[in-house]
Amino acid sequence: MTPITIKETQNPTIIKFEFPDFITQNQSFEFKNIDEAKNSPLAQQLFYLPFVKTVYISGNFIAIERYNIVEWDDVKDAVAEQIQNFVTGGGVIVTIDETSKKQPITVYGETTPNPATLKFVVNKMVTKTAVEFKSIDDTKPSPLARELFNFPYVKEVFIDENYISVSKYDSYDWAEITLELRSFLKGYIENGGTVLDETLIEAPKVEKQKIENFDKLDTTSQQIINILEEYVKPAVAADGGNILFDSYDPAEKRVKVILQGACNGCPSSTFTLKSGIENMLKDMLNDENIKVEALNA
């Protein structure tokens, strides 16, 4: 058997062990603990390693997320050898229940405040990470987004939790394309297509609200992030969008944010920023001089 190749990812806590051939067909698996890994003898064995946090199995690779008790440079070769020996010895990587290969999926379209964007809601979680794709060149982490860009009317794609927001070009009418998109999404997800490979996602340059950076921010920035997370994000998510904190300038009292999905380019986004978010921050921070600006509005 050809030796397994060790590949680093954009996330330093996750490393990939690639096989020369596919080990799954159009299916992805994510295991958070040994109990979840009942249909993967290999994943169960890996969880006996104290530093293994999550095991991903997809396509031609196994990816492992580690706890911070070790560095990958110290253990990756030993893990690769363990995986190699397991497979060479006839061990089963993952068993697929034939009856559950195709799970019934429902997908329905919801309008958003942005007339150019429609939100397709799925009756299951498709990702834990919100990701926006502006073109087909950005879609390496998402085979689903890549397929969507093959439709001539798809301009942008935003994926989060249990929905996919699709933005179209103005020359197309939703009445003519909604059914085709909905049918495609239903079939793709129902047949086990990969929505998102989270090991390939690059950390967004604007996600300064990540936990590891949060404590380094000034108190006002922390308060702004908490307000956005608790009060604003749920509302914009309901409309198929997302909002990210970028920065706060204490001299100008200016808050900069990034709008994603349906919020980006929405005709009502300026009104929402000024009359909604800005007023909320002024009130909750007790500062009438606060200004909110969207970097991509």
Side-chain angles (χ1 to χ4, degrees), residues 12-36:
T13 66
I14 298 176
I15 205 162
K16 293 170 70 172
F17 301 89
E18 292 190 351
F19 291 75
D21 301 305
F22 281 92
I23 55 176
T24 68
Q25 296 297 324
N26 295 323
Q27 286 187 291
S28 298
F29 303 88
E30 178 180 341
F31 306 112
K32 292 289 187 183
N33 54 59
I34 196 168
D35 291 330
E36 289 186 3

Side-chain angles (χ1 to χ4, degrees), residues 21-221:
D21 301 305
F22 281 92
I23 55 176
T24 68
Q25 296 297 324
N26 295 323
Q27 286 187 291
S28 298
F29 303 88
E30 178 180 341
F31 306 112
K32 292 289 187 183
N33 54 59
I34 196 168
D35 291 330
E36 289 186 3
K38 290 179 180 177
N39 62 333
S40 175
L42 174 56
Q44 285 188 316
Q45 178 171 312
L46 290 170
F47 276 114
Y48 285 112
L49 300 171
F51 54 83
V52 171
K53 182 179 181 181
T54 309
V55 177
Y56 306 90
I57 301 177
S58 181
N60 70 327
F61 70 85
I62 293 167
I64 299 175
E65 181 182 9
R66 63 168 172 79
Y67 287 107
N68 291 326
I69 58 175
V70 298
E71 294 296 331
W72 273 123
D73 285 344
D74 298 329
V75 297
K76 62 184 181 183
D77 291 331
V79 173
E81 183 179 359
Q82 181 171 328
I83 295 173
Q84 187 94 44
N85 291 340
F86 180 89
V87 175
T88 302
V92 176
I93 296 176
V94 63
T95 56
I96 301 171
D97 183 355
E98 295 293 326
T99 61
S100 62
K101 268 188 178 181
K102 187 171 182 178
Q103 299 178 343
I105 293 294
T106 60
V107 178
Y108 65 90
E110 279 186 3
T111 57
T112 74
N114 188 344
T117 302
L118 202 62
K119 175 183 176 182
F120 292 91
V121 182
V122 186
N123 66 330
K124 61 174 280 188
M125 288 285 290
V126 294
T127 180
K128 298 183 184 72
T129 307
V131 187
E132 185 173 41
F133 302 102
K134 298 283 191 180
S135 73
I136 197 168
D137 296 331
D138 304 329
T139 59
K140 186 178 179 182
S142 176
L144 171 60
R146 189 180 312 125
E147 292 293 330
L148 285 170
F149 276 109
N150 288 326
F151 292 100
Y153 42 76
V154 171
K155 183 179 181 181
E156 295 177 12
V157 177
F158 176 72
I159 305 173
D160 191 15
E161 295 188 343
N162 69 324
Y163 66 88
I164 298 103
S165 289
V166 176
S167 299
K168 67 174 180 63
Y169 288 101
D170 292 339
S171 56
Y172 293 88
D173 191 285
W174 281 121
E176 300 170 353
I177 62 177
T178 298
L179 180 59
E180 182 179 30
L181 276 174
R182 191 188 71 80
S183 298
F184 166 76
L185 289 169
K186 174 178 167 61
Y188 184 94
I189 298 171
E190 204 167 58
N191 287 298
T194 300
V195 175
L196 197 65
D197 178 355
E198 304 203 10
T199 67
L200 297 177
I201 300 172
E202 294 187 35
K205 61 181 179 181
V206 297
E207 287 228 28
K208 295 179 181 176
Q209 62 269 54
K210 292 263 186 198
I211 298 300
E212 60 264 28
N213 296 321
F214 184 85
D215 292 338
K216 300 175 184 177
L217 298 173
D218 61 274
T219 302
T220 304
S221 293

Side-chain angles (χ1 to χ4, degrees), residues 1 24 42 130 138 160 207 211 245 249 266 270 275 284 288:
M1 177 181 175
T24 68
L42 174 56
D138 304 329
D160 191 15
E207 287 228 28
I211 298 300
F245 172 81
D249 184 339
C266 175
T270 302
S275 299
M284 300 185 79
E288 285 298 316

